[in-house]
Amino acid sequence: MYDHACSDPAVYDITVEDPSENFTRLRNFVDSLKCMSLPSFRPEHLKNGFSKRMIKEAREQFKITKTQARKTYEILRLKATNMSNSEEYRKYRLEVKRRLNIPFQKEKKSMHKLQSFLNPQEFEAVLQSKSVENQHDFLEKSYRALELDYRKVIERISAHV
């Protein structure tokens, strides 16, 4: 069924609504294996960052969505990262954390709008509940959980290849 969908030019991408954690892990594994065969996902290209070419190749060859292509990129980038090189690992972590931080950046824009609707005391209460420390803690915990999941996928890839 998957191969049939991939070969059909009328199919743009294959999505799954509200997938379980187990399905997500399996999909990350399968998509990572498939994308390893694409030129833009080769290790020498991964350190250049996530690109439009990766999105295009993953969608055209395997009907993978942009979001899933990004996850696949992050998994394969971690796999290609030399963990004994602290600078290389730091660059990887920062890139993933920048993506994880996008919702907070959007929230900042919303806060400016909110300020015009609330009195100063109400707005101050909202600001205190959204502290930078809480944001950093959330980002760090989210990153650690994500890296753990990615490492499990990488272990499966290594056992499979």
Side-chain angles (χ1 to χ4, degrees), residues 12 35 38 40-41 50-66 69:
Y12 185 76
C35 285
L38 298 174
S40 64
F41 285 88
F50 187 60
S51 68
K52 289 180 181 179
R53 183 174 172 211
M54 291 174 178
I55 296 166
K56 185 176 190 265
E57 284 183 1
R59 184 179 32 82
E60 288 176 357
Q61 293 294 311
F62 304 120
K63 309 298 184 185
I64 294 173
T65 65
K66 177 182 177 180

Side-chain angles (χ1 to χ4, degrees), residues 85-95:
N85 182 330
S86 61
E87 183 62 17
E88 191 174 320
Y89 179 51
R90 185 184 73 76
K91 285 180 181 178
Y92 170 79
R93 284 191 329 268
L94 289 175
E95 183 176 2

